[in-house]
Amino acid sequence: MVLRLTNEQISAGIWYIGLFNGIGYERTQSKMINRGSSFTFSANISVDGCTVSGLWGPYCNRAIVPVSCDHTAVYEDSKNIFDASSHNQTAESNLTCQNSLEVACSRSSELKLYSLDLTGMIQFLKIVVKDAQFNQTISGNSTKKINGTLYARHGAIPSIEFHDYSVDIVKSPLVVESPKIGRWYIGILPANGTRITGAVGNNNINSDLCYSLDWEVFECPAGKAGPNCTAKTYILQAIPGKNPSPPDFHYLPVDGKMSPEAAKFPLEPLLSNSSGNNSDIAWTYFVLDIPREVGGGNIHVQLQADTTLTYELYSRFGGLPSLDTWDYYYANKSSNSNGSLFFKVYDSSDEGASFYILNAREGRWIFGLRHRVLPIGISNLQTTMSLTVERCPNKCSGHGGCKFRMDDSGLSFYSYCDCDRDYGGFDCDITIVPHSDLPRWTCALRWISSSCHVPLTWHVLQSVALIASNAAAILPAYWALRKKAYAEWVIFTTSGVSSALYHACDVGTWCVLTFHVLQFMDFWLSFMAVASTFIYLTTVEEVTKRAIHACVAILTALMAATGATRSSNIPLVIGIGASGLFIGLVIEFSTTLKSILCSRRLNVNMIERWLSFKVWLYNLLKTIRSRFRWIFVLVGFILVAMAAVSWKMESTASYWIWHSVWHVTIYASSFFFLCSKSLR
């Protein structure tokens, strides 16, 4: 997969690139042997750009002309297109931005770029192209028609396909209402082949278009915003929480009247008392800045009223929200942005609401509260608001733990919910295995009240089969204990117990330890049980058996830790056990063989050497035949064959039955192999 973003699509800031694999419609069991398709992947991220920030283009040879705001200039020319009175603004609230180059020229069909940085809450931005003309002298009575487009885009380079605003350069100025904070790119693109009517020869002449630009920004006084600058605006102060790493914050108005320990603040004393347009609806704005160290966190908003909640809340990143322009909103429990992937409502009622803006980017967020104008001094309402930035939404719904990681720069965190086995989703609120499908005895384990009534369902039967089938481990464990083979007794007993606990966790019933620990214990002890069956069949001294057991334990532990579900583990474990049996037999008969090979007469008489070897081989076969009870060996191999068939028959739908058969047959085969050893 290749993801390619060009400069028309890339904006400044932190980018997150994720590869996601959904759980699908059915829960997939963590099968003992994973024979399904799997893949590994690596990611290579490369960024190609110009080393000089003021250049752009495929060859980095085109300049971006920066322009700046002159906050001391006051526009006084009433004849100019920028008429402050037409926008109900006073002269003191206007800031004039002018291009430092009085005259600029653009080639035909070539985009010329300018950049402007906005740092405050702007009411509107106006840009006009003036004195547009050709740099080519046209003789006679010919007329010329100037065509071109003015583009504007926030945070990225505009183009014909990608832009936020566009106007014809000769028809009207470009007006951006409530522009976002940050860098704006302004582009002027003359039309291809500007037409000159009445000229001799070709009517389409490619000529440079020259012009001058005027920039003007209208700002409200401090503490004011919105239409006619009548809405109150409050800067919220970030109060660090108790968690230093990763940090979390809650926000309070900067007025010195509230304790930093307060988690919420009242709204009524802060509301605007005028709408500015003879309406009974007003706006109040709250501004908060999310620092880089908590970028990508989740903004938690809570509203709570004494009676009925009558406020609407609109949010926007980098700019003032309105009824026409917003990123997320909450009006009531039936009208909000809950359909968005990055907005989640957890509690909604007539009296309050609790919702999250997920993965909020760093920078300035502005919340606009839309409300009725309350009479001065009269307010029987009491509504509180809480704004916090949290790492994991809804504290992972109580069904998981919040994990976080730091990026390579060491300056940014990203967090996620590590859900319990029977829950999923980004906030662990999706029940993968419904509680109603769990066995009755899990009520006690989950500390549910005595009124827990769980129906006996098909899933219960599957869970019981997978867990109870491990009771077959009692057979080899009992035989080992009876023969005082204590090492084998411990291995078979713990193998059956760990397998039962692992499958109890796997089906979503109860996890006594973490899933990965239980999985490792199950596979490791299963490997040890198979290998120990082979080692038990030898009659070497206990010192030698302990050495073989130690080697086998190390090898099987590495296999279980590095890839427990690999299909190749089964032949490897059988090979390790068979090697242990072979080594034991070699050690047992090595003394006799050594006496034959090292005999003095061996190098003298070839006939006697051959006869001695035949006697040794006959005694070896006789010993092996008398060492085992072959009827038990035959039954053991039959059970191994049945276990292989059940392993082959496993699928997602029939996993529970065939894997239960696997438990019974594999432990029963170990029991018959142990019984096949004769003590004669």
Side-chain angles (χ1 to χ4, degrees):
M1 294 183 293
V2 177
L3 173 66
R4 180 177 177 84
L5 302 177
T6 63
N7 55 2
E8 293 88 1
Q9 299 164 295
I10 299 176
S11 58
I14 299 176
W15 280 76
Y16 295 89
I17 300 174
L19 180 65
F20 298 93
N21 179 25
I23 61 174
Y25 295 103
E26 295 183 0
R27 180 178 184 273
T28 56
Q29 297 280 0
S30 298
K31 298 177 62 176
M32 178 176 176
I33 301 298
N34 184 5
R35 296 181 298 278
S37 59
S38 62
F39 65 93
T40 58
F41 69 93
S42 61
N44 178 38
I45 301 175
S46 60
V47 180
D48 299 330
C50 302
T51 56
V52 180
S53 60
L55 297 178
W56 74 290
Y59 303 104
C60 295
N61 58 352
R62 302 174 67 178
I64 301 176
V65 181
V67 294
S68 59
C69 263
D70 183 4
H71 289 252
T72 61
V74 177
Y75 209 87
E76 297 177 350
D77 188 1
S78 60
K79 296 181 180 180
N80 192 279
I81 193 170
F82 295 131
D83 186 2
S85 62
S86 65
H87 300 284
N88 297 324
Q89 299 293 318
T90 61
E92 291 76 16
S93 65
N94 296 342
L95 301 176
T96 302
C97 301
Q98 291 182 335
N99 188 355
S100 59
L101 297 176
E102 292 287 335
V103 178
C105 295
S106 297
R107 294 181 180 179
S108 178
S109 300
E110 183 177 289
L111 183 68
K112 189 172 184 63
L113 280 179
Y114 303 87
S115 64
L116 172 66
D117 292 327
L118 300 181
T119 58
M121 288 186 297
I122 311 301
Q123 187 176 7
F124 59 88
L125 164 69
K126 297 184 72 173
I127 307 169
V128 64
V129 179
K130 299 194 306 180
D131 303 327
Q133 59 184 345
F134 296 102
N135 63 353
Q136 178 180 352
T137 302
I138 308 238
S139 60
N141 296 324
S142 61
T143 60
K144 54 186 178 181
K145 183 179 181 181
I146 300 174
N147 292 320
T149 307
L150 178 66
Y151 296 100
R153 192 178 184 194
H154 176 263
I157 295 175
S159 66
I160 298 176
E161 296 82 9
F162 301 97
H163 57 268
D164 296 334
Y165 303 91
S166 66
V167 295
D168 192 313
I169 60 175
V170 297
K171 290 184 178 180
S172 62
L174 177 67
V175 180
V176 181
E177 300 284 348
S178 301
K180 287 186 175 182
I181 299 171
R183 177 161 294 182
W184 283 81
Y185 291 92
I186 312 299
I188 296 179
L189 182 65
N192 186 18
T194 302
R195 182 174 180 82
I196 303 177
T197 306
V200 179
N202 187 4
N203 288 339
N204 292 328
I205 299 177
N206 291 325
S207 178
D208 291 350
L209 179 66
C210 298
Y211 49 84
S212 62
L213 291 179
D214 277 347
W215 314 67
E216 188 157 299
V217 174
F218 288 82
E219 250 183 342
C220 293
K224 296 292 184 179
N228 303 323
C229 299
T230 57
K232 292 183 179 180
T233 303
Y234 297 91
I235 304 296
L236 301 184
Q237 180 182 6
I239 309 297
K242 298 180 180 179
N243 256 347
S245 180
D248 53 0
F249 294 93
H250 65 277
Y251 290 84
L252 297 174
V254 184
D255 57 2
K257 298 180 181 179
M258 298 192 63
S259 169
E261 302 297 328
K264 53 188 177 181
F265 54 91
L267 287 178
E268 280 74 20
L270 307 176
L271 298 181
S272 303
N273 51 19
S274 174
S275 64
N277 53 6
N278 297 324
S279 171
D280 60 345
I281 301 297
W283 288 80
T284 303
Y285 296 100
F286 300 94
V287 183
L288 60 90
D289 290 311
I290 295 182
R292 180 174 183 179
E293 57 266 26
V294 295
N298 307 284
I299 302 177
H300 186 194
V301 182
Q302 297 181 82
L303 295 170
Q304 187 62 45
D306 286 346
T307 55
T308 301
L309 186 64
T310 58
Y311 302 132
E312 299 178 5
L313 191 65
Y314 297 79
S315 65
R316 188 182 179 206
F317 177 78
L320 287 176
S322 65
L323 286 178
D324 300 321
T325 307
W326 44 264
D327 293 332
Y328 309 101
Y329 82 100
Y330 180 90
N332 50 58
K333 58 184 178 181
S334 60
S335 177
N336 51 65
S337 298
N338 201 32
S340 170
L341 293 175
F342 299 97
F343 189 90
K344 178 76 173 184
V345 177
Y346 284 97
D347 184 22
S348 181
S349 63
D350 293 336
E351 295 79 21
S354 174
F355 57 87
Y356 281 82
I357 297 175
L358 305 173
N359 306 123
R361 63 184 299 184
E362 63 173 295
R364 176 158 293 184
W365 284 81
I366 301 176
F367 290 83
L369 193 71
R370 186 170 181 264
H371 56 87
R372 292 186 176 276
V373 177
L374 299 178
I376 299 177
I378 300 176
S379 176
N380 296 324
L381 302 176
Q382 181 63 40
T383 306
T384 58
M385 182 175 182
S386 171
L387 284 168
T388 58
V389 176
E390 301 175 3
R391 277 289 141 195
C392 291
N394 202 32
K395 298 181 180 179
C396 299
S397 305
H399 303 303
C402 188
K403 306 293 183 181
F404 67 91
R405 295 290 185 269
M406 184 180 293
D407 71 349
D408 291 338
S409 68
L411 300 176
S412 299
F413 292 91
Y414 62 95
S415 53
Y416 61 94
C417 285
D418 185 16
C419 302
D420 299 336
R421 284 292 299 163
D422 46 349
Y423 289 90
F426 72 95
D427 54 355
C428 304
D429 69 337
I430 299 176
T431 304
I432 300 177
V433 180
H435 290 175
S436 60
D437 286 345
L438 299 180
R440 183 183 301 275
W441 53 270
T442 59
C443 294
L445 296 177
R446 293 177 177 273
W447 300 96
I448 303 178
S449 63
S450 58
S451 61
C452 174
H453 298 290
V454 183
L456 187 63
T457 64
W458 190 246
H459 178 75
V460 175
L461 295 176
Q462 298 177 3
S463 303
V464 171
L466 284 169
I467 297 171
S469 59
N470 289 281
I474 296 176
L475 297 174
Y478 166 75
W479 182 263
L481 181 62
R482 181 181 177 185
K483 299 301 180 180
K484 298 183 180 180
Y486 297 116
E488 286 77 6
W489 170 71
V490 171
I491 291 174
F492 285 114
T493 303
T494 54
S495 175
V497 172
S498 63
S499 181
L501 293 176
Y502 164 66
H503 285 286
C505 182
D506 183 42
V507 298
T509 301
W510 179 51
C511 295
V512 64
L513 296 172
T514 63
F515 176 78
H516 297 292
V517 172
L518 292 174
Q519 187 182 61
F520 168 79
M521 292 297 295
D522 176 37
F523 281 84
W524 177 48
L525 292 173
S526 298
F527 297 161
M528 283 293 298
V530 173
S532 296
T533 302
F534 286 93
I535 298 172
Y536 175 80
L537 298 179
T538 65
T539 58
V540 294
E541 296 179 354
E542 288 297 324
V543 176
T544 306
K545 278 190 176 183
R546 286 199 297 269
I548 297 176
H549 269 293
C551 296
V552 171
I554 294 173
L555 292 175
T556 53
L558 289 174
M559 293 167 57
T562 57
T565 59
R566 288 191 300 249
S567 298
S568 58
N569 283 339
I570 290 182
L572 284 176
V573 171
I574 295 176
I576 291 173
S579 299
L581 176 59
F582 177 75
I583 292 173
L585 293 176
V586 169
I587 294 174
E588 180 180 352
F589 298 106
S590 61
T591 304
T592 306
L593 183 61
K594 183 179 179 181
S595 64
I596 296 175
L597 295 176
C598 299
S599 175
R600 292 183 179 180
R601 302 178 60 185
L602 180 63
N603 297 325
V604 178
N605 193 323
M606 294 293 295
I607 298 176
E608 291 186 6
R609 182 182 65 178
W610 173 248
L611 291 175
S612 299
F613 180 76
K614 287 178 63 178
V615 172
W616 175 83
L617 184 60
Y618 173 77
N619 292 333
L620 174 62
L621 295 176
K622 183 179 179 181
T623 303
I624 293 176
R625 185 180 61 180
S626 60
R627 177 68 55 82
F628 301 103
R629 299 170 181 170
W630 291 99
I631 184 62
F632 290 101
V633 174
L634 179 61
V635 175
F637 277 114
I638 292 174
L639 290 171
V640 168
M642 294 175 61
V645 170
S646 64
W647 172 78
K648 189 68 177 178
M649 295 293 293
E650 285 183 14
S651 64
T652 301
S654 61
Y655 167 81
W656 69 277
I657 181 63
W658 290 114
H659 198 67
S660 301
V661 174
W662 163 275
H663 287 158
V664 175
T665 53
I666 203 69
Y667 283 123
S669 65
S670 294
F671 169 72
F672 281 99
F673 281 130
L674 294 179
C675 293
S676 68
K677 182 179 179 181
S678 176
L679 300 180
R680 291 180 297 173

